[in-house]
Amino acid sequence: MEFFELCEKISKVYDVKQHLQEVLATLPQGVRLVAVSKFHPCEQILEAYACGQRIFGESHEQEIRQKHQQLPADIEWHFIGHLQTNKVKYIVPYISTIQSVDSLRLLREIDKQAARCGRCINVLLELHIAAEATKYGLTTDALHQLLDDGEWRQMEHVRICGLMMMASLTDDQEQIAREFQQAADLFDEVKARYFADDDTFCERSWGMSDDYPIALRHGSTMVRIGTTIFGPRVY
Ligand SMILES: *Cc1c(COP(=O)(O)O)cnc(C)c1O
């Protein structure tokens, strides 16, 4: 079966509105939802949009570019995937937030490209806390190094709004809880040390379809949920 045919079939049987509303009902006040729409067609995004959802997350440059062109202009796009520095210039003209900043080099490039188009981009620093070796992100040491270095203080076109992380892909709920708590503790430490007087540093982006109830118990202010809202992805 053709890819789009398959997508259409799935979107017809999957009730996006109902699932979105179920997720929203479980979120405490002040917690924002990033609806992760990667690999899902525009029709499904529009269903969520029709319910008032405005923040959508994507992780591939070409895919987000196409969707951004086709969908309403008031959507707040968040980039949540691994971002190569040579792709930054393509997303900076319209992206609201880049959640996956994991090096000074990338931060520098975002600042440079945002300056070129007269924008200021919200960014989150991505932590590597999970046990898996394959995940991107900054270790605790690398995070401190980046912030101690201080170059970011001179960047006028990025706004560091908080931290993002993914927990390990495991059934061990206690391990997941430990990892979220580790991220929450690190957030408090970083907040006190570098951003004590900066109210924009406030976001703790953790929690996905399978683990967001745990994330909410460990300080999450922003959950990134795909599968529960849109159904399984067809890769
Ligand atoms: C895909 C993705 C999500 C959403 O995952 P689901 O399990 O579908 O909710 C969240 N965060 C990141 C960084 C992702 O890449």
Side-chain angles (χ1 to χ4, degrees):
M1 203 181 309
E2 290 293 326
F3 175 72
F4 286 110
E5 232 176 286
L6 197 57
C7 288
E8 220 169 79
K9 250 198 145 126
I10 288 171
S11 61
K12 284 212 178 85
V13 296
Y14 203 85
D15 191 337
V16 170
K17 285 183 186 173
Q18 188 198 325
H19 288 94
L20 173 66
Q21 270 151 8
E22 278 169 14
V23 167
L24 286 171
T26 65
L27 299 184
Q29 270 226 320
V31 173
R32 291 195 293 158
L33 169 67
V34 178
V36 177
S37 48
K38 63 189 185 198
F39 294 94
H40 292 290
C42 289
E43 294 72 47
Q44 276 186 296
I45 299 178
L46 282 171
E47 276 190 54
Y49 182 91
C51 300
Q53 180 65 25
R54 289 295 178 272
I55 311 177
F56 291 89
E58 291 279 340
S59 45
H60 296 94
E61 183 272 316
Q62 287 198 349
E63 186 177 354
I64 192 173
R65 186 193 327 183
Q66 284 174 4
K67 287 175 173 172
H68 159 256
Q69 285 166 356
Q70 289 171 28
L71 290 164
D74 64 342
I75 286 180
E76 195 182 301
W77 293 104
H78 285 220
F79 198 87
I80 60 171
H82 180 63
L83 183 58
Q84 291 169 285
T85 47
N86 63 349
K87 299 281 171 64
V88 169
K89 57 177 175 289
Y90 301 121
I91 65 168
V92 149
Y94 62 86
I95 203 82
S96 147
T97 303
I98 298 175
Q99 295 209 2
S100 42
V101 173
D102 61 357
S103 71
L104 179 58
R105 194 166 152 254
L106 181 57
L107 190 64
R108 226 183 248 148
E109 180 67 10
I110 297 167
D111 183 57
K112 180 179 146 193
Q113 296 298 338
R116 283 191 166 175
C117 44
R119 299 197 68 218
C120 188
I121 308 291
N122 294 331
V123 304
L124 302 182
L125 301 175
E126 181 178 356
L127 300 176
H128 177 117
I129 283 180
E132 289 117 53
T134 54
K135 294 234 163 99
Y136 296 104
L138 296 153
T139 61
T140 303
D141 284 350
L143 175 69
H144 280 295
Q145 235 173 52
L146 190 156
L147 292 168
D148 280 335
D149 167 83
E151 189 181 325
W152 60 275
R153 293 184 192 274
Q154 267 70 57
M155 300 181 183
E156 292 176 0
H157 299 271
V158 291
R159 203 181 289 122
I160 302 179
C161 298
L163 304 178
M164 185 270 254
M165 64 82 80
M166 270 194 273
S168 293
L169 201 64
T170 170
D171 291 333
D172 184 344
Q173 312 266 304
E174 282 177 16
Q175 184 185 342
I176 293 170
R178 267 197 310 276
E179 291 177 0
F180 286 142
Q181 192 53 45
Q182 215 179 318
D185 292 343
L186 190 52
F187 174 92
D188 290 342
E189 195 187 322
V190 164
K191 173 81 184 162
R193 191 155 156 191
Y194 308 95
F195 298 95
D197 302 322
D198 184 351
D199 290 342
T200 55
F201 189 88
C202 63
E203 296 293 359
R204 295 174 290 266
S205 174
W206 41 87
M208 308 177 17
S209 289
D210 286 341
D211 58 20
Y212 79 89
I214 308 174
L216 292 173
R217 293 197 288 274
H218 297 273
S220 172
T221 61
M222 186 179 268
V223 291
R224 309 177 309 268
I225 300 178
T227 308
T228 300
I229 296 171
F230 296 109
R233 287 181 285 274
V234 184
Y235 289 102

Coordinates of all heavy atoms in Angstrom, one line a residue, residues 34-40 57-60 79-82 99-100 126 135 164-166 169 205 207-212 223-233 235, ligand 1:
V34 N 3.0 19.8 23.8 CA 3.5 19.8 22.5 C 2.9 18.6 21.8 O 3.2 17.5 22.2 CB 5.0 19.8 22.5 CG1 5.6 19.8 21.0 CG2 5.6 21.0 23.2
A35 N 2.1 18.8 20.8 CA 1.5 17.6 20.1 C 2.6 17.2 19.0 O 2.9 18.0 18.1 CB 0.2 18.0 19.4
V36 N 3.1 16.0 19.2 CA 4.2 15.6 18.3 C 3.7 15.0 17.1 O 3.1 13.8 17.1 CB 5.2 14.7 19.1 CG1 6.3 14.2 18.1 CG2 5.8 15.4 20.3
S37 N 3.8 15.7 16.0 CA 3.0 15.3 14.8 C 3.9 14.7 13.7 O 3.5 14.4 12.6 CB 2.3 16.5 14.2 OG 3.2 17.6 14.1
K38 N 5.2 14.4 14.0 CA 6.1 13.8 13.1 C 5.5 12.5 12.4 O 4.9 11.7 13.2 CB 7.5 13.5 13.7 CG 7.4 12.5 14.8 CD 8.7 12.4 15.6 CE 8.6 11.2 16.6 NZ 9.6 11.3 17.7
F39 N 5.7 12.4 11.1 CA 5.2 11.2 10.4 C 3.6 11.2 10.3 O 3.1 10.2 9.7 CB 5.7 9.9 10.9 CG 7.2 9.7 10.8 CD1 8.0 10.1 11.8 CD2 7.7 9.3 9.6 CE1 9.4 9.9 11.6 CE2 9.1 9.1 9.4 CZ 9.9 9.5 10.5
H40 N 3.0 12.2 10.8 CA 1.5 12.2 10.6 C 1.1 13.3 9.6 O 1.7 14.3 9.6 CB 0.8 12.5 12.0 CG 1.0 11.3 12.9 ND1 0.4 10.1 12.8 CD2 1.8 11.2 14.1 CE1 0.7 9.3 13.7 NE2 1.6 9.9 14.5
G57 N 5.1 19.6 17.5 CA 6.6 19.2 17.5 C 6.9 18.3 16.3 O 6.2 17.4 16.0
E58 N 8.0 18.6 15.7 CA 8.5 17.8 14.6 C 10.0 17.6 14.8 O 10.7 18.4 15.4 CB 8.3 18.6 13.3 CG 6.8 18.7 12.9 CD 6.2 17.4 12.2 OE1 7.0 16.6 11.7 OE2 5.0 17.3 12.2
S59 N 10.5 16.5 14.1 CA 11.9 16.3 14.3 C 12.7 16.1 13.0 O 13.9 15.7 13.1 CB 12.1 15.1 15.2 OG 11.3 14.0 14.8
H60 N 12.1 16.5 11.9 CA 12.9 16.4 10.6 C 12.7 17.7 9.8 O 11.6 18.2 9.6 CB 12.5 15.2 9.8 CG 12.8 13.9 10.4 ND1 11.9 13.2 11.2 CD2 13.9 13.2 10.5 CE1 12.4 12.2 11.7 NE2 13.7 12.1 11.3
F79 N 11.0 22.4 17.3 CA 11.8 21.3 16.7 C 12.4 20.5 17.9 O 13.0 21.0 18.8 CB 13.0 21.9 15.9 CG 13.6 21.0 15.0 CD1 13.1 20.7 13.7 CD2 14.7 20.2 15.4 CE1 13.7 19.8 12.9 CE2 15.3 19.3 14.6 CZ 14.8 19.1 13.3
I80 N 12.2 19.2 17.8 CA 12.5 18.3 18.9 C 13.5 17.2 18.6 O 13.9 16.4 19.4 CB 11.2 17.7 19.6 CG1 10.5 16.8 18.5 CG2 10.3 18.7 20.1 CD1 9.4 16.0 19.2
G81 N 13.9 17.2 17.3 CA 14.8 16.1 16.9 C 16.3 16.5 16.9 O 16.6 17.7 17.1
H82 N 17.2 15.6 16.5 CA 18.6 16.0 16.4 C 18.7 17.0 15.2 O 18.2 16.7 14.1 CB 19.4 14.7 16.2 CG 20.9 15.1 16.0 ND1 21.6 15.7 17.1 CD2 21.7 15.0 15.0 CE1 22.8 15.9 16.7 NE2 22.9 15.5 15.4
Q99 N 14.1 22.6 20.8 CA 14.2 22.0 22.1 C 15.4 21.1 22.3 O 15.7 20.6 23.3 CB 13.0 21.1 22.3 CG 11.6 21.8 22.4 CD 10.6 21.1 23.3 OE1 10.9 20.0 23.9 NE2 9.5 21.6 23.4
S100 N 16.1 20.9 21.2 CA 17.2 19.9 21.2 C 18.6 20.4 21.0 O 19.4 19.9 20.2 CB 16.9 18.9 20.0 OG 16.4 19.6 18.9
E126 N 19.2 20.3 25.7 CA 18.8 18.9 25.9 C 19.8 18.1 26.7 O 21.0 18.1 26.5 CB 18.7 18.2 24.5 CG 18.2 16.7 24.6 CD 18.1 16.0 23.3 OE1 18.2 16.7 22.2 OE2 17.8 14.8 23.3
K135 N 21.2 8.0 22.7 CA 20.5 9.3 22.8 C 21.4 10.5 22.7 O 22.5 10.5 23.3 CB 19.7 9.3 24.1 CG 18.6 8.3 24.1 CD 17.2 8.9 24.3 CE 16.1 7.9 23.9 NZ 15.6 7.2 25.0
M164 N 15.4 20.2 28.3 CA 14.6 19.1 27.7 C 15.3 17.8 28.0 O 16.5 17.7 28.0 CB 14.4 19.3 26.2 CG 13.5 18.3 25.5 SD 14.3 16.9 24.8 CE 14.3 17.3 23.1
M165 N 14.5 16.7 28.2 CA 15.2 15.4 28.2 C 14.2 14.3 27.9 O 13.0 14.4 28.0 CB 15.9 15.1 29.6 CG 15.0 15.1 30.8 SD 14.2 13.5 31.1 CE 15.4 12.5 31.8
M166 N 14.8 13.1 27.5 CA 14.0 11.9 27.3 C 14.5 10.9 28.3 O 15.7 10.7 28.4 CB 14.3 11.4 25.9 CG 13.4 11.9 24.8 SD 13.5 10.9 23.3 CE 14.9 11.8 22.5
L169 N 14.1 4.2 27.5 CA 13.0 3.4 27.0 C 13.0 2.1 27.7 O 13.7 1.2 27.4 CB 13.3 3.2 25.5 CG 12.1 2.8 24.6 CD1 11.1 3.9 24.5 CD2 12.6 2.5 23.2
S205 N 11.0 20.3 29.9 CA 10.3 19.6 28.9 C 10.6 18.1 29.0 O 11.6 17.6 28.5 CB 10.7 20.1 27.5 OG 10.1 19.3 26.5
G207 N 8.5 14.0 29.4 CA 7.3 13.3 29.4 C 6.8 13.1 27.9 O 6.6 14.0 27.2
M208 N 6.6 11.8 27.5 CA 6.1 11.4 26.2 C 4.9 10.5 26.5 O 4.5 10.3 27.6 CB 7.2 10.7 25.4 CG 8.5 11.5 25.4 SD 10.0 10.9 24.6 CE 9.5 9.6 23.6
S209 N 4.4 9.9 25.4 CA 3.1 9.1 25.5 C 3.2 8.1 26.7 O 2.3 8.0 27.5 CB 2.8 8.4 24.2 OG 2.4 9.3 23.3
D210 N 4.3 7.4 26.8 CA 4.3 6.3 27.7 C 4.7 6.7 29.1 O 4.5 5.9 30.1 CB 5.3 5.2 27.2 CG 4.7 4.4 26.1 OD1 3.5 4.4 25.9 OD2 5.5 3.8 25.4
D211 N 5.3 7.8 29.3 CA 5.8 8.2 30.6 C 5.4 9.5 31.1 O 5.9 9.9 32.2 CB 7.4 8.0 30.6 CG 8.1 8.9 29.6 OD1 7.5 9.9 29.2 OD2 9.2 8.6 29.3
Y212 N 4.5 10.2 30.4 CA 4.2 11.6 30.9 C 3.5 11.7 32.3 O 3.8 12.6 33.0 CB 3.5 12.4 29.8 CG 2.0 12.2 29.7 CD1 1.1 12.9 30.4 CD2 1.6 11.3 28.7 CE1 -0.3 12.7 30.2 CE2 0.2 11.1 28.6 CZ -0.7 11.8 29.3 OH -2.0 11.5 29.2
V223 N 4.9 18.7 28.2 CA 5.0 17.3 27.7 C 4.9 17.2 26.2 O 4.3 18.1 25.6 CB 3.8 16.4 28.4 CG1 4.1 16.3 29.9 CG2 2.5 17.0 28.1
R224 N 5.6 16.3 25.7 CA 5.7 16.1 24.2 C 5.1 14.8 23.9 O 5.6 13.7 24.1 CB 7.2 16.1 23.8 CG 8.0 17.3 24.3 CD 9.4 17.2 23.8 NE 10.0 15.9 24.1 CZ 10.7 15.6 25.2 NH1 10.9 16.5 26.2 NH2 11.1 14.3 25.4
I225 N 3.8 14.8 23.4 CA 3.1 13.6 23.2 C 2.6 13.4 21.7 O 2.0 14.3 21.1 CB 1.8 13.6 24.1 CG1 2.3 13.7 25.6 CG2 1.0 12.4 23.9 CD1 1.2 13.8 26.6
G226 N 3.0 12.3 21.2 CA 2.7 12.0 19.8 C 1.7 10.8 19.7 O 0.5 11.0 19.4
T227 N 2.2 9.6 19.9 CA 1.4 8.4 19.7 C 0.0 8.4 20.3 O -1.0 8.0 19.7 CB 2.2 7.2 20.2 OG1 3.5 7.3 19.6 CG2 1.5 5.9 19.8
T228 N -0.1 8.9 21.6 CA -1.4 8.9 22.3 C -2.4 9.8 21.6 O -3.6 9.5 21.5 CB -1.2 9.3 23.7 OG1 -0.3 8.4 24.4 CG2 -2.5 9.3 24.5
I229 N -1.9 10.9 20.9 CA -2.8 11.8 20.3 C -3.1 11.3 18.8 O -4.3 11.3 18.4 CB -2.2 13.2 20.3 CG1 -2.1 13.7 21.7 CG2 -3.1 14.2 19.4 CD1 -1.3 15.0 21.8
F230 N -2.1 11.0 18.1 CA -2.2 10.7 16.7 C -2.2 9.3 16.3 O -2.4 8.9 15.1 CB -1.1 11.4 15.9 CG -1.1 12.9 16.0 CD1 -0.2 13.6 16.8 CD2 -2.1 13.7 15.4 CE1 -0.2 15.0 16.9 CE2 -2.1 15.1 15.5 CZ -1.2 15.7 16.3
G231 N -2.0 8.4 17.2 CA -1.9 7.0 16.9 C -0.5 6.6 16.5 O 0.4 7.4 16.5
P232 N -0.3 5.3 16.1 CA 1.0 4.8 15.8 C 1.6 5.5 14.6 O 0.8 5.8 13.6 CB 0.9 3.3 15.6 CG -0.6 3.1 15.4 CD -1.3 4.2 16.0
R233 N 2.9 5.7 14.5 CA 3.5 6.3 13.4 C 3.9 5.2 12.4 O 4.3 4.2 12.7 CB 4.8 7.0 13.8 CG 4.6 8.3 14.5 CD 5.9 9.0 14.9 NE 6.6 8.4 16.0 CZ 6.4 8.6 17.3 NH1 5.5 9.5 17.6 NH2 7.1 8.0 18.2
Y235 N 6.5 4.5 9.7 CA 7.8 5.0 9.3 C 8.1 4.6 7.9 O 7.6 3.6 7.4 CB 8.9 4.5 10.2 CG 8.9 5.1 11.6 CD1 8.4 4.5 12.7 CD2 9.4 6.4 11.8 CE1 8.3 5.1 13.9 CE2 9.4 7.0 13.0 CZ 8.9 6.4 14.1 OH 8.8 6.9 15.3
Ligands
LIG1 C1 8.8 11.3 18.9 C2 9.2 12.1 20.1 C3 8.2 12.3 21.1 C4 6.9 11.7 21.1 O1 6.9 10.4 21.4 P1 5.5 9.5 21.6 O2 6.0 8.3 22.3 O3 5.0 9.3 20.3 O4 4.6 10.3 22.5 C5 8.7 13.1 22.2 N1 9.9 13.7 22.2 C6 10.8 13.5 21.3 C7 12.1 14.1 21.4 C8 10.5 12.7 20.2 O5 11.4 12.5 19.2

